[in-house]
């Protein structure tokens, strides 16, 4: 009998850089530094005050920039304004709204909002392509010259990357903008918080589960580290097209469960590997749309095979982020204790 791993599978997406006097040089450098420090930009951010958006907005506001935050949730308006930013309430389905939010901006941050993978009618690829086209039209309409786009690990792949396929298309849509528009594509690796739903399996079964072998090395990242990189990229001079990967730490899955197990008081916590088919079936039994479940299983299979990380290995970050798995394990333990 084929075992159903549905209740155990992590549903990541539910919650997935001439000699002059020395004293004179110091004066010049001091004045230059002061000018750089006080230079302000008008920046528009999509993504509301999410895991990345909130620390990003806070970082930019603290440096004196005029920040506008796009949110589809009117309830966020007060919170956005409380951190010193301006709010723009609307949807990225509306190109005219995006253009109004982008108008007058020196730089913009684009991201495709998370989709509901349990929506049985969602065409995920179309959702990404439509969002990418809307951003591109608004950028053209407003004449914005600097764009930072939140993409993903695996965006170098046209196919074989499962639910990440849309990020490939968004990058290519934006890259078709005029050459005088500077574009940086931020490609984070897997988010730590994708592991949080696995607390249920850890508590009930004593293991975490996926269609990835335990000795495979994955690269993990904190949204705080992503926000720090975006805050840097959006405020520095740039031109042309650029890809920048963001990662916080690399670990095998055995190393991962060892640290998480210690944090929750289960030092014998295990990593269990299932087949691609079992992964897909488990997600479907949990209510995920079948096509998206197949795409998620394919994405994890590409981590297992190494395909998803081929380009990342050629352009690894020079410096890893500050937030490590031991830091995240505290959040994992808190979620575990609340069950």
């Amino acid at each position: 009998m084929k075992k159903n791993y549905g209740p155990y599978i992590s549903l990541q997406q539910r919650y997935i850089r001439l000699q002059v006097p020395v004293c004179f040089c110091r004066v010049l450098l001091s004045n230059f530094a002061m000018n750089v420090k006080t230079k302000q930009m008008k920046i528009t951010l999509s993504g509301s005050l999410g895991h990345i958006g909130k620390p990003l907005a806070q970082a930019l506001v603290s440096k004196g920039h005029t920040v506008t935050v796009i949110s589809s949730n009117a309830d966020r308006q007060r919170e956005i304004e409380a951190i010193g930013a301006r709010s723009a309430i609307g949807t990225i389905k509306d190109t005219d709204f995006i253009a109004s939010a982008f108008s007058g901006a020196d730089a913009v941050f684009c991201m495709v909002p998370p989709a509901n993978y349990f929506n049985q009618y969602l065409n995920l690829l179309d959702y990404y392509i439509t969002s990418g086209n809307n951003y591109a039209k608004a950028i053209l309409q407003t004449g914005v010259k600097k764009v930072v786009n939140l993409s993903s690990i695996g965006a170098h792949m046209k196919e074989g990357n499962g639910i990440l396929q849309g990020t490939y298309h968004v990058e290519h849509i934006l890259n078709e903008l005029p050459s005088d528009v500077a574009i940086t594509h931020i490609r984070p690796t897997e988010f730590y918080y994708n592991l949080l739903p696995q607390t249920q399996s850890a508590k009930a079964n004593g293991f975490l589960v996926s269609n990835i072998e335990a000795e495979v090395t994955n690269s993990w990242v904190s949204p705080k580290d992503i926000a720090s990189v975006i805050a840097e990229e959006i405020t520095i001079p740039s031109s042309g097209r650029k890809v920048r990967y963001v990662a916080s730490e690399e670990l095998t899955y055995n190393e991962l469960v060892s640290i998480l197990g210690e944090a929750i008081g289960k030092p014998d916590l295990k990593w269990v590997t299932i087949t691609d088919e079992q992964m897909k079936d488990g997600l479907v039994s949990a209510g995920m749309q079948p096509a998206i479940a197949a795409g998620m299983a394919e994405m994890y299979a590409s981590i297992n095979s190494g395909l998803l990380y081929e380009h990342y290995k050629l352009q690894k970050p020079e410096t890893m982020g500050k937030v490590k798995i031991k830091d995240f394990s505290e959040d994992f333990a808190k979620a575990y204790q609340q069950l």
Side-chain angles (χ1 to χ4, degrees):
M1 181 182 296
K2 185 165 64 173
K3 191 168 182 179
N4 180 8
Y5 284 86
Y8 314 135
I9 290 176
S10 169
L11 302 180
Q12 286 90 333
Q13 300 301 330
R14 188 165 189 171
Y15 280 78
I16 350 279
R17 128 167 165 339
L18 292 172
Q19 296 182 348
V20 293
V22 173
C23 60
F24 181 63
C25 289
R26 287 176 178 165
V27 171
L28 288 177
L29 290 172
S30 177
N31 289 339
F32 174 76
M34 185 177 296
N35 288 336
V36 170
K37 184 177 180 180
T38 57
K39 182 181 178 182
Q40 296 181 345
M41 296 176 65
K42 293 181 179 179
I43 302 171
T44 299
L45 309 175
S46 62
S48 191
L49 294 183
H51 293 288
I52 296 172
K54 187 171 184 177
L56 174 58
Q58 289 173 326
L60 293 172
V61 168
S62 71
K63 293 178 181 177
H65 301 295
T66 301
V67 177
T68 298
V69 176
I70 293 174
S71 179
S72 61
N73 185 354
D75 293 337
R76 288 285 198 178
Q77 182 172 353
R78 184 174 296 178
E79 187 179 358
I80 291 169
E81 294 171 357
I83 66 173
R86 301 174 180 178
S87 61
I89 307 301
T91 173
I92 66 163
K93 295 177 182 179
D94 183 346
T95 304
D96 290 336
F97 164 73
I98 303 174
S100 68
F102 283 3
S103 181
D106 299 308
V108 299
F109 168 60
C110 301
M111 66 168 284
V112 177
N116 178 8
Y117 293 170
F118 294 81
N119 177 351
Q120 302 302 312
Y121 304 100
L122 174 66
N123 185 318
L124 187 60
L125 183 56
D126 282 355
Y127 172 68
Y128 269 88
I129 291 174
T130 299
S131 299
N133 280 323
N134 287 350
Y135 279 130
K137 290 174 184 175
I139 291 164
L140 273 177
Q141 186 175 330
T142 56
V144 170
K145 298 302 180 185
K146 184 172 181 62
V147 178
V148 175
N149 167 52
L150 181 64
S151 187
S152 173
I153 186 78
H156 67 291
M157 301 170 65
K158 186 175 183 179
E159 55 188 18
N161 51 1
I163 60 172
L164 302 177
Q165 185 182 20
T167 62
Y168 167 91
H169 290 278
V170 173
E171 285 196 12
H172 281 259
I173 289 168
L174 295 178
N175 284 345
E176 290 298 315
L177 288 166
S179 59
D180 63 341
V181 179
I183 303 172
T184 298
H185 300 293
I186 302 295
R187 293 182 182 174
T189 55
E190 184 161 6
F191 289 37
Y192 286 132
Y193 66 66
N194 286 349
L195 291 162
L196 289 176
Q198 293 263 25
T199 53
Q200 298 182 34
S201 180
K203 193 149 199 172
N205 312 297
F207 62 77
L208 310 189
V209 59
S210 180
N211 55 325
I212 302 174
E213 298 289 339
E215 284 304 316
V216 168
T217 297
N218 197 0
S219 181
W220 299 88
V221 69
S222 165
K224 293 179 181 177
D225 289 331
I226 300 171
S228 294
V229 168
I230 295 170
E232 176 187 333
E233 285 291 339
I234 207 164
T235 55
I236 61 175
S238 61
S239 61
R241 298 341 185 211
K242 175 181 178 182
V243 168
R244 182 171 175 180
Y245 286 96
V246 190
S248 301
E249 188 170 16
E250 295 179 355
L251 297 157
T252 68
Y253 284 87
N254 274 337
E255 291 170 333
L256 177 76
V257 294
S258 176
I259 295 170
L260 296 180
E262 181 180 351
I264 63 174
K266 281 193 172 184
D268 58 345
L269 187 68
K270 304 296 183 185
W271 182 264
V272 171
T273 302
I274 58 177
T275 67
D276 298 346
E277 191 69 18
Q278 286 173 319
M279 183 72 184
K280 183 194 73 174
D281 290 347
L283 293 169
V284 171
S285 70
M288 187 175 288
Q289 185 199 118
I292 296 177
M296 185 169 285
E298 181 180 68
M299 176 188 70
Y300 286 129
S302 67
I303 294 175
N304 194 53
S305 68
L307 286 174
L308 202 72
Y309 281 83
E310 282 185 333
H311 190 260
Y312 165 84
K313 290 178 180 178
L314 300 175
Q315 294 192 27
K316 276 190 180 186
E318 293 181 4
T319 304
M320 289 288 183
K322 296 179 180 179
V323 182
K324 305 303 179 184
I325 188 64
K326 285 191 176 180
D327 302 311
F328 168 75
S329 69
E330 296 177 8
D331 296 330
F332 190 86
K334 289 178 183 177
Y336 177 87
Q337 292 161 3
Q338 290 172 359
L339 293 175

PDB file of all heavy atoms in Angstrom, residues 41-44 99-107 142 144:
ATOM      1  N   MET A  41      16.892  59.818  -1.856  1.00  0.00           N
ATOM      2  CA  MET A  41      16.235  59.305  -3.048  1.00  0.00           C
ATOM      3  C   MET A  41      14.755  59.119  -2.768  1.00  0.00           C
ATOM      4  O   MET A  41      14.340  58.935  -1.616  1.00  0.00           O
ATOM      5  CB  MET A  41      16.850  57.951  -3.448  1.00  0.00           C
ATOM      6  CG  MET A  41      18.297  57.990  -3.852  1.00  0.00           C
ATOM      7  SD  MET A  41      18.951  56.323  -4.175  1.00  0.00           S
ATOM      8  CE  MET A  41      17.966  55.820  -5.619  1.00  0.00           C
ATOM      9  N   LYS A  42      13.988  59.173  -3.836  1.00  0.00           N
ATOM     10  CA  LYS A  42      12.577  58.811  -3.762  1.00  0.00           C
ATOM     11  C   LYS A  42      12.460  57.371  -4.248  1.00  0.00           C
ATOM     12  O   LYS A  42      12.799  57.071  -5.391  1.00  0.00           O
ATOM     13  CB  LYS A  42      11.735  59.747  -4.625  1.00  0.00           C
ATOM     14  CG  LYS A  42      11.691  61.179  -4.108  1.00  0.00           C
ATOM     15  CD  LYS A  42      10.810  62.045  -4.992  1.00  0.00           C
ATOM     16  CE  LYS A  42      10.741  63.478  -4.467  1.00  0.00           C
ATOM     17  NZ  LYS A  42       9.901  64.343  -5.335  1.00  0.00           N
ATOM     18  N   ILE A  43      12.008  56.489  -3.366  1.00  0.00           N
ATOM     19  CA  ILE A  43      11.992  55.056  -3.653  1.00  0.00           C
ATOM     20  C   ILE A  43      10.607  54.490  -3.409  1.00  0.00           C
ATOM     21  O   ILE A  43       9.999  54.737  -2.366  1.00  0.00           O
ATOM     22  CB  ILE A  43      13.016  54.312  -2.765  1.00  0.00           C
ATOM     23  CG1 ILE A  43      14.428  54.874  -2.993  1.00  0.00           C
ATOM     24  CG2 ILE A  43      12.984  52.816  -3.040  1.00  0.00           C
ATOM     25  CD1 ILE A  43      15.466  54.350  -2.012  1.00  0.00           C
ATOM     26  N   THR A  44      10.111  53.722  -4.371  1.00  0.00           N
ATOM     27  CA  THR A  44       8.826  53.056  -4.211  1.00  0.00           C
ATOM     28  C   THR A  44       9.051  51.558  -4.086  1.00  0.00           C
ATOM     29  O   THR A  44       9.770  50.962  -4.897  1.00  0.00           O
ATOM     30  CB  THR A  44       7.882  53.342  -5.387  1.00  0.00           C
ATOM     31  OG1 THR A  44       7.627  54.752  -5.451  1.00  0.00           O
ATOM     32  CG2 THR A  44       6.562  52.608  -5.230  1.00  0.00           C
ATOM     33  N   ALA A  99       1.720  52.726 -11.948  1.00  0.00           N
ATOM     34  CA  ALA A  99       2.357  53.903 -12.542  1.00  0.00           C
ATOM     35  C   ALA A  99       2.229  55.109 -11.623  1.00  0.00           C
ATOM     36  O   ALA A  99       3.180  55.889 -11.471  1.00  0.00           O
ATOM     37  CB  ALA A  99       1.741  54.206 -13.905  1.00  0.00           C
ATOM     38  N   SER A 100       1.083  55.273 -10.987  1.00  0.00           N
ATOM     39  CA  SER A 100       0.904  56.414 -10.080  1.00  0.00           C
ATOM     40  C   SER A 100       1.827  56.280  -8.870  1.00  0.00           C
ATOM     41  O   SER A 100       2.361  57.270  -8.369  1.00  0.00           O
ATOM     42  CB  SER A 100      -0.553  56.514  -9.623  1.00  0.00           C
ATOM     43  OG  SER A 100      -0.909  55.430  -8.790  1.00  0.00           O
ATOM     44  N   ALA A 101       2.040  55.047  -8.402  1.00  0.00           N
ATOM     45  CA  ALA A 101       2.926  54.823  -7.261  1.00  0.00           C
ATOM     46  C   ALA A 101       4.393  54.996  -7.653  1.00  0.00           C
ATOM     47  O   ALA A 101       5.220  55.416  -6.838  1.00  0.00           O
ATOM     48  CB  ALA A 101       2.703  53.430  -6.688  1.00  0.00           C
ATOM     49  N   PHE A 102       4.717  54.676  -8.906  1.00  0.00           N
ATOM     50  CA  PHE A 102       6.099  54.793  -9.400  1.00  0.00           C
ATOM     51  C   PHE A 102       6.442  56.216  -9.841  1.00  0.00           C
ATOM     52  O   PHE A 102       7.621  56.571  -9.960  1.00  0.00           O
ATOM     53  CB  PHE A 102       6.319  53.854 -10.584  1.00  0.00           C
ATOM     54  CG  PHE A 102       6.493  52.403 -10.220  1.00  0.00           C
ATOM     55  CD1 PHE A 102       6.388  51.977  -8.906  1.00  0.00           C
ATOM     56  CD2 PHE A 102       6.774  51.463 -11.211  1.00  0.00           C
ATOM     57  CE1 PHE A 102       6.550  50.636  -8.574  1.00  0.00           C
ATOM     58  CE2 PHE A 102       6.947  50.126 -10.891  1.00  0.00           C
ATOM     59  CZ  PHE A 102       6.833  49.709  -9.574  1.00  0.00           C
ATOM     60  N   SER A 103       5.444  57.027 -10.099  1.00  0.00           N
ATOM     61  CA  SER A 103       5.665  58.366 -10.651  1.00  0.00           C
ATOM     62  C   SER A 103       6.598  59.192  -9.764  1.00  0.00           C
ATOM     63  O   SER A 103       6.377  59.326  -8.562  1.00  0.00           O
ATOM     64  CB  SER A 103       4.331  59.092 -10.805  1.00  0.00           C
ATOM     65  OG  SER A 103       4.517  60.383 -11.349  1.00  0.00           O
ATOM     66  N   GLY A 104       7.654  59.734 -10.372  1.00  0.00           N
ATOM     67  CA  GLY A 104       8.601  60.586  -9.662  1.00  0.00           C
ATOM     68  C   GLY A 104       9.654  59.843  -8.870  1.00  0.00           C
ATOM     69  O   GLY A 104      10.524  60.469  -8.235  1.00  0.00           O
ATOM     70  N   ALA A 105       9.623  58.517  -8.887  1.00  0.00           N
ATOM     71  CA  ALA A 105      10.582  57.732  -8.111  1.00  0.00           C
ATOM     72  C   ALA A 105      11.946  57.685  -8.798  1.00  0.00           C
ATOM     73  O   ALA A 105      12.038  57.585 -10.025  1.00  0.00           O
ATOM     74  CB  ALA A 105      10.066  56.316  -7.906  1.00  0.00           C
ATOM     75  N   ASP A 106      13.001  57.749  -7.984  1.00  0.00           N
ATOM     76  CA  ASP A 106      14.363  57.560  -8.496  1.00  0.00           C
ATOM     77  C   ASP A 106      14.664  56.080  -8.697  1.00  0.00           C
ATOM     78  O   ASP A 106      15.490  55.710  -9.529  1.00  0.00           O
ATOM     79  CB  ASP A 106      15.384  58.135  -7.512  1.00  0.00           C
ATOM     80  CG  ASP A 106      15.200  59.629  -7.303  1.00  0.00           C
ATOM     81  OD1 ASP A 106      15.156  60.357  -8.311  1.00  0.00           O
ATOM     82  OD2 ASP A 106      15.100  60.063  -6.140  1.00  0.00           O
ATOM     83  N   ALA A 107      14.000  55.238  -7.908  1.00  0.00           N
ATOM     84  CA  ALA A 107      14.214  53.798  -7.992  1.00  0.00           C
ATOM     85  C   ALA A 107      12.966  53.085  -7.483  1.00  0.00           C
ATOM     86  O   ALA A 107      12.232  53.610  -6.651  1.00  0.00           O
ATOM     87  CB  ALA A 107      15.426  53.384  -7.158  1.00  0.00           C
ATOM     88  N   THR A 142       6.335  55.704 -16.654  1.00  0.00           N
ATOM     89  CA  THR A 142       6.814  56.723 -15.712  1.00  0.00           C
ATOM     90  C   THR A 142       8.261  57.141 -15.943  1.00  0.00           C
ATOM     91  O   THR A 142       8.712  58.126 -15.366  1.00  0.00           O
ATOM     92  CB  THR A 142       6.680  56.215 -14.266  1.00  0.00           C
ATOM     93  OG1 THR A 142       7.387  54.967 -14.138  1.00  0.00           O
ATOM     94  CG2 THR A 142       5.219  56.011 -13.902  1.00  0.00           C
ATOM     95  N   VAL A 144      10.973  55.518 -15.003  1.00  0.00           N
ATOM     96  CA  VAL A 144      11.881  55.107 -13.924  1.00  0.00           C
ATOM     97  C   VAL A 144      13.141  54.512 -14.545  1.00  0.00           C
ATOM     98  O   VAL A 144      13.074  53.729 -15.497  1.00  0.00           O
ATOM     99  CB  VAL A 144      11.197  54.074 -13.002  1.00  0.00           C
ATOM    100  CG1 VAL A 144      12.203  53.469 -12.025  1.00  0.00           C
ATOM    101  CG2 VAL A 144      10.050  54.711 -12.246  1.00  0.00           C
TER     102      VAL A 144
END
